[in-house]
Amino acid sequence: MARTAVVAVGGNALLAQGENGTYEQQRANAGAMAVSICALLDAGWRVAVVHGNGPQVGNLAIQQELGRTEVPAMPLFSLGAMTEGQLGSLIAIALYGVCGPRHRIAALLSHVIVDLDDPAFAQPTKPIGPFFSERRATALAESRGWDITEDAGRGFRRVVPSPDPKGFVEIEAIGCLLDAGHVVVTGGGGGIPVGRREGVWDGVDAVIDKDYAAAELAHQIGADALVLITAVDAVQLDFGKKTQRRLTWIDTEEAERHLMAGQFPAGSMGPKVSAAVRFVERGGGRVAVITTPTLVADTLNNHDPANESVGTRIVPENSRQGAFA
């Protein structure tokens, strides 16, 4: 039976820093991502794609604010649904462009379950939207009531609640599509957050971290690998310092030690490493990979811990070979 990978693509990977987010820019970035995903498909992997929407949903929220005097503004979870459709289409079109008729693609809106009592609602942490100067961010916080935080030295951004994902409502549909041979593009922005109110699903104003959502989806479908695509080749220790060094092969115990030591900021690499550890620790000889699109296949196939030309591979505790050896 074919191995299954869940690939998580960041919203920042589709709208790079310094770009203003035109459709043409995002389409070009999606095309680069599609090349690496298609390489996995051609190697015999079944693939589900989960994508972030932080910049896109933040930009859409600004448009909503500016237009609220003319038309009603939509709640945050509804903006998540809009961007999930937008980016799902963008990625599907990019995959068709690269893969041609060799693979079938299905973009699926998905609702992700959250606990309405999750403490995250009292402490917003998820960055969305563009980067601002400190002065501009302070003015926006005062005028719009936003929560603002500094984001890993790159500037200031709006933050919103980011509750932990508990499962995908459409998990059976996702599984059926994978079994039927489709690449499934879903979980946009971590999925549309919903909770139980009076016995029925209802939208929740939050943005779910796409890396945690990808780890949850990978667990639910019994995936063999979790691939977290980012802008750097590999996870780095002492990032930005003279002692900076890359990690290409670590087990979950070492990854957790570095997390506890504060090596990986919450606004950038922290959620990726945490999601990778969460997935691998659930067992079954699983492996997680954190790298750029061009190094995905080489990192998944790397069985040499001394190889420093690939991305980061996170394996079970005390494992020197890991999965797929």
Side-chain angles (χ1 to χ4, degrees), residues 1-272:
M1 185 175 179
R3 295 171 295 179
T4 303
V6 172
V7 178
V9 178
N12 286 311
L14 298 173
L15 198 169
Q17 190 171 356
E19 295 181 341
N20 59 13
T22 66
Y23 178 81
E24 290 74 20
Q25 288 172 339
Q26 295 189 65
R27 181 173 181 173
N29 294 333
M33 219 72 55
V35 171
S36 64
I37 294 171
C38 195
L40 288 180
L41 295 168
D42 288 341
W45 287 82
R46 302 194 315 170
V47 175
V49 182
V50 172
H51 53 92
N53 70 344
Q56 293 82 7
V57 78
N59 289 353
L60 185 55
I62 290 173
Q63 293 173 3
Q64 293 276 309
E65 288 287 336
L66 294 175
R68 70 165 56 243
T69 58
E70 301 294 330
V71 294
M74 296 293 106
L76 183 59
F77 69 84
S78 185
L79 305 189
M82 294 179 198
T83 54
E84 184 171 4
Q86 170 203 353
L87 296 175
S89 171
L90 188 75
I91 294 169
I93 289 172
L95 286 168
Y96 277 125
V98 173
C99 299
R102 300 195 307 279
H103 303 289
R104 292 176 292 173
I105 320 297
L108 175 71
L109 285 176
S110 56
H111 298 83
V112 174
I113 303 162
V114 301
D115 183 350
L116 296 178
D117 293 323
D118 192 307
F121 289 108
Q123 188 175 5
T125 60
K126 178 64 177 173
I128 65 170
F131 293 88
F132 300 105
S133 67
E134 184 173 9
R135 180 177 179 180
R136 176 64 173 152
T138 300
L140 288 168
E142 293 176 353
S143 64
R144 299 180 182 171
W146 288 358
D147 292 290
I148 299 286
T149 189
E150 195 272 333
D151 187 354
R154 296 174 294 180
F156 291 78
R157 297 176 77 186
R158 180 187 179 187
V159 289
V160 298
S162 183
D164 202 40
K166 301 300 184 183
F168 280 65
V169 175
E170 291 83 4
I171 191 62
E172 292 183 1
I174 294 169
C176 287
L177 286 167
L178 285 169
D179 289 342
H182 290 76
V183 182
V184 183
V185 183
T186 192
I192 305 160
V194 294
R196 283 282 187 184
R197 291 193 177 103
E198 299 180 358
V200 297
W201 296 121
D202 195 11
V204 177
D205 268 351
V207 172
I208 300 169
D209 186 276
K210 67 97 179 36
D211 295 318
Y212 291 132
E216 178 62 29
L217 176 61
H219 170 66
Q220 282 195 274
I221 65 175
D224 303 282
L226 174 65
V227 177
L228 305 173
I229 292 180
T230 185
V232 295
D233 287 350
V235 176
Q236 307 282 339
L237 291 180
D238 297 338
F239 184 74
K241 301 178 182 178
K242 292 182 179 179
T243 53
Q244 177 177 315
R245 57 199 186 278
R246 66 192 290 155
L247 298 171
T248 56
W249 187 291
I250 56 174
D251 67 15
T252 54
E253 188 276 332
E254 182 181 357
E256 287 181 320
R257 278 196 287 109
H258 293 316
L259 279 166
M260 292 294 292
Q263 283 281 354
F264 311 127
S268 56
M269 194 58 72
K272 291 178 177 57

